């Protein structure tokens, strides 16, 4: 018999691990804190500026990609630093790739906002 938690106990442990991860990233990563603050602003702006409920939903969901990618970026940085504390070209590339993913998520957010605002305010 497995000693692995099942059912509600498993869900509770998974939620605890999730909350631990969010709290740790919030404490340790400036970029993640900034993205959380900007997320609050994004949410309010989406409600105020989007023309439809669908646009509001898209702006909020697309923004959530940014902290999601930042969490993965931070996880990659943590594991790379643990495994390879000395400079290593492969480790640098892994961290650079993760950073580039975060940058692309920012571009997706900005592009989506640009499309929604142009449609809302400049559509014929």
């Amino acid at each position: 018999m497995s000693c692995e938690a099942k059912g509600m106990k498993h869900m509770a442990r998974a939620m605890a691990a999730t909350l631990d991860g969010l709290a740790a990233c919030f404490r340790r990563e400036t970029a993640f804190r900034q993205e959380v603050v900007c997320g609050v602003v994004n949410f309010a702006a989406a409600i105020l500026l989007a023309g439809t409920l669908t646009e509001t939903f898209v702006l909020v969901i697309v923004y959530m990609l940014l902290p999601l990618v930042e969490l993965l970026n931070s996880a990659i940085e943590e594991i790379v630093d643990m495994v390879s504390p000395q400079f290593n070209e492969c480790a640098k590339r892994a961290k650079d790739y993760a950073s580039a993913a975060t940058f692309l998520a920012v571009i997706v957010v900005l592009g989506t906002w640009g499309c929604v605002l142009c449609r809302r305010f400049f559509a014929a």
Side-chain angles (χ1 to χ4, degrees):
M1 187 148 57
S2 171
C3 59
E4 213 175 286
K6 296 191 184 333
M8 293 302 287
K9 195 173 206 177
H10 173 77
M11 288 175 52
R13 286 184 182 171
M15 182 56 69
T18 297
L19 295 174
D20 287 348
L22 289 169
C25 198
F26 191 84
R27 279 191 310 273
R28 296 174 53 96
E29 298 292 333
T30 302
F32 186 72
R33 284 192 300 275
Q34 292 168 341
E35 289 160 4
V36 169
V37 170
C38 287
V40 172
V41 173
N42 180 81
F43 184 75
I47 290 171
L48 294 172
L49 297 174
T52 65
L53 185 59
T54 300
E55 287 177 349
T56 303
F57 183 76
V58 166
L59 291 172
V60 170
I61 293 301
V62 166
Y63 186 83
M64 290 186 73
L65 291 173
L66 186 53
L68 183 150
V69 174
E70 185 62 46
L71 283 163
L72 295 172
N73 177 34
S74 297
I76 290 168
E77 288 179 356
E78 288 282 334
I79 198 72
V80 165
D81 289 346
M82 183 186 78
V83 171
S84 181
Q86 299 86 11
F87 178 80
N88 177 289
E89 188 60 38
C90 289
K92 179 189 180 316
R93 275 196 306 275
K95 291 169 89 170
D96 289 349
Y97 296 160
S99 180
T102 301
F103 175 75
L104 292 176
V106 169
I107 298 301
V108 169
V109 169
L110 294 176
T112 304
W113 265 98
C115 289
V116 168
L117 291 177
C118 282
R119 181 170 185 242
R120 172 98 164 102
F121 295 109
F122 303 112

